[in-house]
Amino acid sequence: MTLRTCLLLSDDPDDHVEFSEALQEACADYVLMAVCDPAKAIELLALRRLIPDVVIADFALGGFDASLFFETMRKNVELSHLPVIAYGNSTDPSMRSHPQIRVFLDDNISYSALRTVLAETLNGASGS
């Protein structure tokens, strides 16, 4: 089995647990790496210290600049194609329709719906 990496940008421990468990149930070949600081996550991506297979980003994360995040990804060919699963509130409505966002999750998504969305999105992304 080939392991794939999912980068979670969130400072909420409940998100870490929920996404980790749902990801394990939905796609056993993925491991989750959580980063709480959006600046560190962008630095990891910009320096290519981590090239994940997918990114899950909390758009409500304090200090998260979606424009800078996507600009960093766009500038690097290895990152420019990565699928993004987004959730939370975006202050810029155009970010909800950004081409890299595969799905924008509802804040009130149930655990079973989250697991289903992850399975559908990531199993489709693994073939990309």
Side-chain angles (χ1 to χ4, degrees):
M1 172 182 354
T2 301
L3 286 179
R4 300 179 189 282
T5 307
C6 176
L7 175 63
L8 172 64
L9 278 67
S10 172
D11 62 354
D12 184 340
D14 291 337
D15 288 351
H16 298 183
V17 170
E18 189 168 14
F19 278 105
S20 179
E21 290 177 0
L23 187 65
Q24 182 60 38
E25 290 176 24
C27 308
D29 60 335
Y30 275 86
V31 294
L32 185 78
M33 177 179 187
V35 177
C36 298
D37 182 338
K40 287 182 183 177
I42 290 171
E43 184 178 354
L44 273 172
L45 293 170
L47 296 174
R48 290 183 237 138
R49 300 273 186 207
L50 172 66
I51 308 286
D53 294 284
V54 66
V55 175
I56 301 174
D58 178 0
F59 274 40
L61 179 61
F64 179 69
D65 181 342
S67 296
L68 176 60
F69 171 73
F70 285 119
E71 179 67 17
T72 300
M73 292 178 67
R74 185 191 65 75
K75 287 180 179 178
N76 185 312
V77 71
E78 295 173 300
L79 302 172
S80 63
H81 70 284
L82 291 181
V84 174
I85 298 171
Y87 67 101
N89 298 321
S90 174
T91 56
D92 181 356
S94 69
M95 284 297 131
R96 286 182 169 263
S97 61
H98 190 280
Q100 277 188 265
I101 295 179
R102 294 280 171 94
V103 63
F104 203 107
L105 301 175
D106 180 11
D107 287 337
N108 299 318
I109 191 168
S110 70
Y111 181 80
S112 62
L114 173 63
R115 190 177 57 233
T116 299
V117 167
L118 289 176
E120 291 172 355
T121 304
L122 299 180
N123 289 328
S126 64
S128 324

